[in-house]
Amino acid sequence: MKIKYIAISVIAILYATDASAWRYNHGRFGMRITGHGTAGIIEPDFEKPDFLGDWRLRGQLNYAPASGQTIGAVYAIDAQTVDDDEYIDDAFLLYENRRYGRMELGLTESIAGKLGLGLPDVGGMRINDTPLFYKKISPNGPVIGDTTLDSGDQSIRLNLATLPTGPVQYGISFAGITDDFNYAIDAGLKIRQSAGKLKTAFALGASFMDSPDNFNADQYAPNVTADWRAQISAGLNLQYNSWIFAITGRAIYDQNPIGRTGDGIAAGTGVSYDLLKYSVSLSYLYTDTGIWHSDIQNYTDHTVIGSLRYKYSENIDGWISIGISTDTPFISTAMRISF
């Protein structure tokens, strides 16, 4: 709890101070601190209100040893990792070469997750990364809370990727040195088409994990122990003027799982529209766990969320969301500060 309130206080102080003070460059050296904080309420069943909060802090140091090259370090912490008693969301070293690409080494998510495409959501329900509504409205069974590929971020990982300088970006990840699995290999691909009135983006990810052992894959699904885990994800975004349409999906398969199963499929679709300082979005998320195993009963969940956001300034916006998840309707509203 102390970490949460310290982080929210830091965000408030950073916003109250000139934002340029937290982006410093001197010769070949540079540093940057970014983040956001959300505070509001949620009312499941439109009854007793409950506090709804979210935050993230990220710091990066860069040094340019030569033209077109950068070395650096990144550390990030957020509400989700504090809830999991991990206190590290990102902690890695990086090297970028304008000609060859980018390398990351440390604790971070795989390149397949970083290149993935999520659903449009102008509210703050975090529907693309451990959704907050599942935290406040407990499902009756396990759910997969993210349609983009996830193979963890608490093991030593090497990411190799091209830079986003052209329409195609791709990469590969290797993870190990952990008690959670023997090794994991991920690959990701993103293709963008930004010319013309209709802009498109397509993402594809795949992952193989050998011998997961009590691996914490999702906050809302049981830890997995199996011979191996395979995943695939795909996403498509279409933008036309102020309209954005998206469809994403993810499939997970565990070979010979032990105990409760948490594999299955998650899929979603959504649309958003921007008008001056207002934005609206409507998203649908479907998750079905246990479908690959005939000896257990699978569990399905449907979630629909509509959100309205008003952007007061570059750093401050307020939003309200209404939806239904796990047969429980809810309404939530909050203010968000970013820098």
Side-chain angles (χ1 to χ4, degrees):
M1 293 293 291
K2 290 183 178 179
I3 293 291
K4 178 177 73 174
Y5 292 119
I6 289 173
I8 293 175
S9 299
V10 169
I11 290 171
I13 293 171
L14 288 171
Y15 173 73
T17 311
D18 183 2
S20 63
W22 303 103
R23 288 169 173 80
Y24 175 77
N25 291 282
H26 180 72
R28 297 178 181 270
F29 176 79
M31 65 179 297
R32 182 170 71 250
I33 299 176
T34 58
H36 65 80
T38 297
I41 60 171
I42 183 171
E43 293 190 23
D45 284 323
F46 307 120
E47 295 179 350
K48 183 179 178 181
D50 192 8
F51 173 76
L52 183 74
D54 191 28
W55 56 269
R56 176 177 170 84
L57 288 172
R58 185 182 190 274
Q60 180 169 336
L61 300 175
N62 289 332
Y63 177 75
S67 177
Q69 298 185 46
T70 302
I71 59 175
V74 173
Y75 173 77
I77 185 172
D78 59 15
Q80 177 184 337
T81 52
V82 172
D83 288 343
D84 293 339
D85 294 324
E86 293 173 346
Y87 303 99
I88 294 177
D89 182 48
D90 277 321
F92 61 88
L93 302 175
L94 66 89
Y95 171 73
E96 282 188 359
N97 186 295
R98 189 180 302 168
R99 182 178 178 182
Y100 297 106
R102 177 182 175 101
M103 178 178 68
E104 299 173 346
L105 179 63
L107 303 178
T108 188
E109 67 175 314
S110 77
I111 195 63
K114 293 186 176 185
L115 294 181
L117 295 171
L119 299 174
D121 175 43
V122 301
M125 299 308 295
R126 204 168 64 193
I127 65 174
N128 294 306
D129 185 14
T130 314
L132 289 176
F133 50 83
Y134 285 140
K135 181 180 179 181
K136 298 297 182 178
I137 306 170
S138 298
N140 295 322
V143 295
I144 300 170
D146 192 349
T147 58
T148 58
L149 196 149
D150 185 1
S151 58
D153 57 6
Q154 297 299 311
S155 59
I156 300 297
R157 184 184 302 277
L158 174 66
N159 285 338
L160 301 173
T162 59
L163 295 179
T165 54
V168 179
Q169 186 179 9
Y170 55 90
I172 190 168
S173 298
F174 305 91
I177 313 180
T178 176
D179 295 330
D180 294 335
F181 48 81
N182 287 344
Y183 64 87
I185 302 175
D186 295 12
L189 168 71
K190 181 180 284 185
I191 303 174
R192 303 179 184 89
Q193 177 58 50
S194 56
K197 287 188 176 182
L198 181 64
K199 301 175 176 58
T200 63
F202 171 76
L204 182 66
S207 172
F208 177 83
M209 180 181 295
D210 183 63
S211 301
D213 184 6
N214 200 34
F215 173 64
N216 186 333
D218 197 301
Q219 280 191 335
Y220 314 117
N223 293 359
V224 57
T225 298
D227 292 347
W228 48 264
R229 161 168 284 202
Q231 299 183 69
I232 187 169
S233 65
L236 175 67
N237 282 4
L238 302 175
Q239 180 179 354
Y240 182 78
N241 293 331
S242 296
W243 289 94
I244 297 177
F245 169 78
I247 182 169
T248 65
R250 174 185 176 195
I252 308 171
Y253 176 77
D254 295 331
Q255 177 70 16
N256 297 326
I258 299 175
R260 296 181 63 203
T261 60
D263 59 353
I265 59 174
T269 186
V271 63
S272 69
Y273 179 74
D274 295 330
L275 178 63
L276 301 176
K277 290 188 175 183
Y278 292 92
S279 299
V280 294
S281 67
L282 180 65
S283 297
Y284 165 71
L285 179 65
Y286 166 78
T287 175
D288 194 344
T289 53
I291 60 174
W292 315 122
H293 311 286
S294 58
D295 57 334
I296 65 169
Q297 182 177 1
N298 61 311
Y299 175 75
T300 62
D301 182 74
H302 305 267
T303 297
V304 179
I305 298 178
S307 299
L308 169 68
R309 179 180 66 191
Y310 174 72
K311 195 172 183 63
Y312 177 77
S313 68
E314 182 180 357
N315 301 98
I316 300 178
D317 63 81
W319 55 266
I320 183 171
S321 297
I322 187 169
I324 183 170
S325 179
T326 321
D327 298 323
T328 302
F330 64 87
I331 186 171
S332 61
T333 183
M335 184 183 74
R336 176 168 48 202
I337 297 176
S338 59
F339 61 92

